[in-house]
Amino acid sequence: MHFFFAQKEEKNQDLIEQIILENYNCYYRLAYSYVHNEEDAGDIVQNGAYRALKGSHTLKHPEYAQSWVYRIMLNECFRYLKQPKFLSYEAVQEEKGFDMGYTEDRYMNIDLMQALDSLPAQDKAVVILRFFEDKKLEEIADILEENVNTVKSRLYRSMKKLRNTLAADSDEYTYPLNAGKEAQHDL
């Protein structure tokens, strides 16, 4: 009987390993969307992979393995965010605006990231999984272990908050859309 459990454990571990390798970039993007730091995102994915492989024997239904690993990665993100932060010398210099001798040319929608960061963790997870990871609502419900209707309402509520936040920010910098139309009619 012990042989059967060892064989099942090995199959689960192989399955989890395959899922992690195939979806590593998705997990990395997920972690990065929470921490906004490449090294920390890599650490989160590495720790999540370790926890998933270590706990592979607890996986009861292999057909839900992908959702199970996503959930572990999300929990690892939340665990990281709860830890006290210690800044390195480089991070302090960067925060104060000193040039560290190199520049990175990366475009990022800062307003969107700030608006996402203002959402509660569960709502942010729904938005990221839906729009950044292209997950279906049913998959998100499995990952978050919530009802599909709860996920739908979280997504709707989050999108409304994001629209309001981004609209408020854009009103400060742009003219209303109708102003352009009125000017066209005058020509």
Side-chain angles (χ1 to χ4, degrees):
M1 197 61 134
H2 179 69
F3 176 74
F4 175 73
F5 289 118
Q7 190 177 12
K8 180 182 175 193
E9 232 176 269
E10 189 174 315
K11 282 184 180 178
N12 281 352
Q13 192 165 9
D14 290 344
L15 176 64
I16 298 301
E17 187 175 328
Q18 180 184 356
I19 288 170
I20 290 170
L21 290 173
E22 288 174 359
N23 297 299
Y24 181 86
N25 290 335
C26 293
Y27 302 140
Y28 179 82
R29 283 193 313 268
L30 176 71
Y32 187 84
S33 69
Y34 278 93
V35 297
H36 308 297
N37 180 301
E38 292 175 4
E39 292 82 16
D40 293 340
D43 289 344
I44 288 170
V45 174
Q46 185 177 12
N47 291 341
Y50 172 76
R51 287 180 190 274
L53 289 169
K54 185 179 174 190
S56 64
H57 67 281
T58 64
L59 180 62
K60 295 177 183 168
H61 302 285
E63 61 271 13
Y64 298 120
Q66 194 164 6
S67 297
W68 185 78
V69 174
Y70 247 100
R71 185 67 200 166
I72 289 172
M73 293 297 175
L74 269 176
N75 286 339
E76 200 59 37
C77 290
F78 298 150
R79 184 177 291 112
Y80 176 84
L81 292 173
K82 288 180 185 177
Q83 293 176 352
K85 305 294 179 252
F86 299 101
L87 294 177
S88 67
Y89 174 74
E90 290 84 11
V92 171
Q93 295 294 5
E94 188 176 304
E95 191 174 291
K96 289 183 179 181
F98 296 117
D99 185 18
M100 296 300 295
Y102 63 90
T103 59
E104 266 187 54
D105 186 20
R106 272 193 285 178
Y107 171 76
M108 184 186 310
N109 190 334
I110 295 172
D111 293 335
L112 177 60
M113 291 302 150
Q114 288 175 341
L116 272 172
D117 287 341
S118 71
L119 293 175
Q122 293 288 355
D123 293 349
K124 181 179 177 181
V126 170
V127 172
I128 289 171
L129 290 171
R130 178 67 185 104
F131 295 106
F132 292 84
E133 298 299 323
D134 293 326
K135 296 290 180 191
K136 295 179 181 173
L137 294 174
E138 294 79 16
E139 292 174 308
I140 297 170
D142 286 341
I143 291 167
L144 298 177
E145 298 174 344
E146 292 182 346
N147 187 315
V148 175
N149 290 329
T150 303
V151 170
K152 286 179 185 177
S153 64
R154 280 186 190 278
L155 182 62
Y156 176 77
R157 182 176 58 243
S158 300
M159 294 306 296
K160 188 174 181 180
K161 286 179 187 176
L162 287 174
R163 259 189 233 105
N164 290 338
T165 302
L166 293 173
D169 290 344
S170 68
D171 286 345
E172 296 174 12
Y173 304 111
T174 60
Y175 296 104
L177 293 176
N178 293 339
K181 290 180 183 177
E182 292 171 2
Q184 288 176 347
H185 290 293
D186 293 336
L187 296 176

